[in-house]
Amino acid sequence: MGRHVTRGLAAIILVLLGLAPAMAADTKLKAMATFSILADLITQVGGERVSVTSLVGPDADAHGYSPTPGDARHVAEADLVVVNGLGFEGWIERLIKASGTKAPVIVASKGVTTIAGSHDHDDDHGHDHGDHADPHAWQSVANVKLYVVNIRDGLSAADPAHAALYAENAAAYARKLDALEGEIRTTLQTIPAERRRIITTHDSFGYFSAAYGMRFLAPQGISTDSEAGPKDVARIIRQIRRDKVPAVFVETIADPRLMQQIARESGAKVGGRIYSDALSGPDGPAPGYLEMMRSNLTAFRDALS
């Protein structure tokens, strides 16, 4: 992937030297995102100069996604491909190879200080997720500021004539992220420390926990490909009872039945549906990253305060 970025930087130099044509003023840059959260971040930075498509759409699970032949065609047509990295899209390397695309590939999570994924979950499918970094880095607002920088640089390399616009948009969005960060910290302070413990479907909130002091437990590991076995479920139920965990939350990308079972058997209440790996549709409560984080924050506050 680094070779693609290098080619993008070389393209800037050629344009500046007048040895290669810049993009036409009325031609939008075609950016391909792997999933909906990235698509929103690209839209925020690219504005009207960029046409953004997401391989995995709203309310859909990118962990176990199976690309289609149509996806390969769309990737081949893109001017820029943006991926999360950290092993989140286990299928993306094969798709890029199959597409034959020459587009630069930008890793949005570049520079993130990673945390380890959970080692506590059974996996009946042979996936050893516990040995890898947790890929859900966007659950920390500070990390998303790095995502925005990487996206800005990728757009600028692919379309240097509008680099100033991308820088301006990125700076404006960074200010919104700063405001969100303050909002999260202020709201969580209203929740008693002993109640800042919840159960989610899979281990996708590790960065939120590390950044903001909430404690999350999950019957599944960092990938939804890893099914929760009976031992996992029993362990979570014992822990809920022992630690008096007040609520369990159902992720929008997950089948709610497992969490409903855990709530019934443990006595915890179901605190609502939250967004982990995907946005909602445009008419839902989380059509963008800022709205997603605020929607989750409201659900946590209402269930735990």
Side-chain angles (χ1 to χ4, degrees):
M1 292 185 182
R3 293 195 302 273
H4 295 298
V5 177
T6 301
R7 285 199 294 269
L9 294 174
I12 296 177
I13 296 170
L14 291 174
V15 169
L16 293 175
L17 293 175
L19 300 177
M23 289 186 64
D26 59 349
T27 301
K28 287 190 175 185
L29 188 75
K30 295 179 182 178
M32 174 63 70
T34 48
F35 67 116
S36 58
I37 295 172
L38 278 187
D40 177 60
L41 298 180
I42 300 167
T43 299
Q44 298 302 324
V45 179
E48 295 183 357
R49 283 294 313 155
V50 181
S51 174
V52 185
T53 305
S54 180
L55 288 168
V56 184
D59 291 318
D61 183 4
H63 283 290
Y65 184 69
S66 297
T68 67
D71 290 335
R73 288 195 298 273
H74 290 146
V75 171
E77 295 167 357
D79 299 311
L80 183 73
V81 178
V82 182
V83 306
N84 182 76
L86 302 178
F88 181 67
E89 310 98 332
W91 39 268
I92 190 61
E93 293 286 357
R94 296 189 302 275
L95 178 60
I96 288 173
K97 184 176 181 180
S99 74
T101 184
K102 303 301 181 183
V105 179
I106 305 303
V107 180
S109 64
K110 180 183 176 182
V112 165
T113 300
T114 60
I115 63 176
S118 173
H119 292 253
D120 295 331
H121 306 285
D122 293 339
D123 188 341
D124 297 328
H125 295 283
H127 300 300
D128 189 13
H129 301 293
D131 291 337
H132 300 294
D134 184 341
H136 306 88
W138 60 85
Q139 291 294 346
S140 161
V141 175
N143 287 343
V144 170
K145 292 181 73 173
L146 289 175
Y147 278 46
V148 168
V149 168
N150 292 327
I151 290 168
R152 177 202 67 194
D153 292 348
L155 292 175
S156 298
D159 182 20
H162 296 91
L165 174 64
Y166 301 140
E168 181 181 344
N169 290 347
Y173 191 65
R175 290 191 290 271
K176 294 180 180 180
L177 291 172
D178 287 337
L180 173 64
E181 177 94 3
E183 205 175 310
I184 292 172
R185 295 188 183 280
T186 299
T187 300
L188 291 182
Q189 286 301 313
T190 68
I191 302 172
E194 68 275 10
R195 291 182 64 82
R196 295 177 202 162
R197 296 172 296 181
I198 61 176
I199 310 296
T200 56
T201 311
H202 84 296
D203 192 11
S204 56
F205 287 87
Y207 290 92
F208 192 101
S209 177
Y212 307 116
M214 289 276 288
R215 186 181 179 196
F216 292 82
L217 303 170
Q220 286 180 282
I222 59 173
S223 171
T224 53
D225 284 344
S226 58
E227 293 184 2
K231 291 181 180 179
D232 297 315
V233 174
R235 172 180 53 80
I236 288 291
I237 290 171
R238 287 195 303 271
Q239 194 155 2
I240 291 173
R241 290 171 176 168
R242 184 185 68 232
D243 296 342
K244 297 182 173 59
V245 177
V248 302
F249 289 83
V250 179
E251 295 170 37
T252 56
I253 62 169
D255 186 327
R257 289 175 294 182
L258 173 62
M259 301 308 286
Q260 290 167 351
Q261 173 196 346
I262 289 173
R264 282 195 309 271
E265 296 185 18
S266 67
K269 68 176 179 179
V270 177
R273 295 180 71 82
I274 56 175
Y275 295 84
S276 56
D277 296 7
L279 303 177
S280 70
D283 297 327
Y289 176 77
L290 299 176
E291 295 89 346
M292 179 191 83
M293 296 296 280
R294 289 190 174 107
S295 177
N296 289 346
L297 186 63
T298 298
F300 297 154
R301 181 198 64 202
D302 291 349
L304 303 178
S305 294

